[in-house]
Amino acid sequence: MILHSRRWIDHYVGEGRWGQRTLLDQFAHNRDAHPDREAVVDPPDRPDLVGTPARSLSYEAWCRRY
């Protein structure tokens, strides 16, 4: 599915904002470069929303778990 005109695609690619790297590619890159940094974080109001404490996982912990 292409949601943007060729003009905008060329514009974003030319600025380096878009490329061939997928979200999962970027996640793997961040895991390798910064395994101990936070990767995913629950919202602070998670206890109010679902009744369990908010959590966060590093890139390495997330990759081991999922």
Side-chain angles (χ1 to χ4, degrees), residues 21 25-37 59:
R21 186 180 282 184
D25 292 339
Q26 184 63 49
F27 201 91
H29 169 78
N30 290 348
R31 179 204 59 218
D32 295 341
H34 311 285
D36 296 328
R37 286 190 185 172
Y59 285 101

Side-chain angles (χ1 to χ4, degrees), residues 1-48:
M1 176 185 314
I2 299 174
L3 301 175
H4 298 281
S5 69
R6 171 55 50 194
R7 180 176 151 260
W8 282 112
I9 293 170
D10 292 343
H11 173 77
Y12 290 134
V13 169
E15 286 189 345
R17 293 183 189 195
W18 288 359
Q20 296 300 312
R21 186 180 282 184
T22 67
L23 182 59
L24 291 177
D25 292 339
Q26 184 63 49
F27 201 91
H29 169 78
N30 290 348
R31 179 204 59 218
D32 295 341
H34 311 285
D36 296 328
R37 286 190 185 172
E38 284 185 327
V40 291
V41 181
D42 285 331
D45 62 346
R46 179 185 167 114
D48 298 329

Side-chain angles (χ1 to χ4, degrees), residues 41-63:
V41 181
D42 285 331
D45 62 346
R46 179 185 167 114
D48 298 329
L49 295 170
V50 295
T52 58
R55 300 175 295 171
S56 67
L57 293 172
S58 68
Y59 285 101
E60 187 63 36
W62 190 90
C63 287

